[in-house]
Amino acid sequence: RLGGAWRVLQCKDFTDVIVRETQEVVSAEIRRIMPGDICIQRGPTVALPSGLVRMPIQPSGWVTVHARIINGPTFMEEVTGPDPRPQGQQQAAAPPMRFQDRQPG
């Protein structure tokens, strides 16, 4: 859900979630987010042919939400209930797209 909050899960199979530059899992690593961290979805999820479901997050980057399609782990869960974002960011929408960010189609 665009603008939705997602929490990184704690799991014995992984210690963090890698944020990459593009939806491709071989793209450059930007940073890592830790279990319990909250991130905000900035666009639709994409199911890759490999079975991974990837999601763009604010302010930049892509994360793997889950690999359930191939019986893999779930890395993130959507947060429901009170808005978990810090005060002042709760009304913030995704940053406006610049002309060069827009894709034809």
Side-chain angles (χ1 to χ4, degrees):
R1 178 173 66 80
L2 183 61
W6 292 76
R7 178 182 297 113
V8 178
L9 296 173
Q10 180 79 43
C11 181
K12 63 180 176 58
D13 296 328
F14 59 90
T15 58
D16 54 22
V17 170
I18 299 171
V19 180
R20 295 197 177 272
E21 192 170 44
T22 71
Q23 73 183 28
E24 301 303 323
V25 294
V26 295
S27 65
E29 181 179 323
I30 298 174
R31 64 188 179 281
R32 292 178 181 240
I33 51 180
M34 306 305 290
D37 286 353
I38 302 291
C39 60
I40 305 302
Q41 183 174 353
R42 69 174 166 83
T45 58
V46 175
L48 300 180
S50 65
L52 299 178
V53 174
R54 305 272 293 156
M55 176 178 70
I57 61 171
Q58 293 181 7
S60 63
W62 287 75
V63 295
T64 299
V65 177
H66 68 79
R68 291 189 300 253
I69 297 167
I70 54 173
N71 297 316
T74 297
F75 298 95
M76 308 187 79
E77 67 179 356
E78 190 165 14
V79 177
T80 57
D83 195 324
R85 292 175 282 184
Q87 193 70 23
Q89 293 181 2
Q90 294 176 357
Q91 298 297 324
M97 293 180 72
R98 300 180 311 251
F99 179 76
Q100 62 266 30
D101 293 338
R102 295 186 184 149
Q103 297 178 5

